[in-house]
Amino acid sequence: DAFRGKSVWVVFTHVRGVFDEIDPILAYLRAIGNQAAEIEDPDGNQGSAAAMAYRFDLTNPTRLSSTTADAFETRSRFQENPAAACTGPAANFSAAASAPRPKRSRRSP
C-alpha cells in the first residue's frame, strides 16, 4: 500500500516454483490498479529461473478504494501447505562466513 498514488514497476525473480508466490501479489495489484506493461524474461528462462517485470498504475481512486492489503483475500499454495515453507538459502553460507580470511598486506604511500 506504500505505492498507492504512483506508477510502479514490480520485478520478480526465481518465483515460479512450488508456491507461485507472485499470483496473490499480482491479484492484489490488479485489484487496486491497472496493469500498464509486462516484460517476460529477456533470456527466455522458464520456471523458477525466470524473471519478469510488471508496471502498474496505482493512481485510480475508484480502484484504490476497492480494497486494502489488510482486507484483500489471498490464497496461495504456501497457505495450503505451510510445512513445505522455504527453510533458507540453497547453499550453506555459515561455513564460508566463519572461514579465515586472507590477511591483506599494508603498503606505505
Side-chain angles (χ1 to χ4, degrees):
D1 282 348
F3 298 110
R4 285 172 174 261
K6 300 177 181 181
S7 180
V8 297
W9 279 97
V10 181
V11 179
F12 297 97
T13 62
H14 299 88
V15 295
R16 287 288 187 193
V18 177
F19 302 115
D20 275 343
E21 301 95 329
I22 69 168
D23 292 342
I25 297 168
L26 290 177
Y28 175 65
L29 290 170
R30 288 175 180 139
I32 65 166
N34 297 308
Q35 184 175 329
E38 177 179 348
I39 299 174
E40 298 276 332
D41 190 299
D43 294 326
N45 292 313
Q46 299 291 317
S48 63
M52 63 278 306
Y54 301 86
R55 186 167 62 91
F56 284 91
D57 176 2
L58 304 178
T59 61
N60 183 315
T62 303
R63 292 190 79 106
L64 289 170
S65 65
S66 68
T67 190
T68 65
D70 290 334
F72 190 75
E73 180 70 29
T74 61
R75 190 83 184 137
S76 72
R77 292 184 198 150
F78 173 73
Q79 289 169 313
E80 294 167 9
N81 186 7
C86 179
T87 58
N92 183 350
F93 293 104
S94 61
S98 63
R101 296 183 181 187
K103 292 183 181 180
R104 294 184 183 192
S105 61
R106 293 186 178 196
R107 296 182 184 173
S108 301

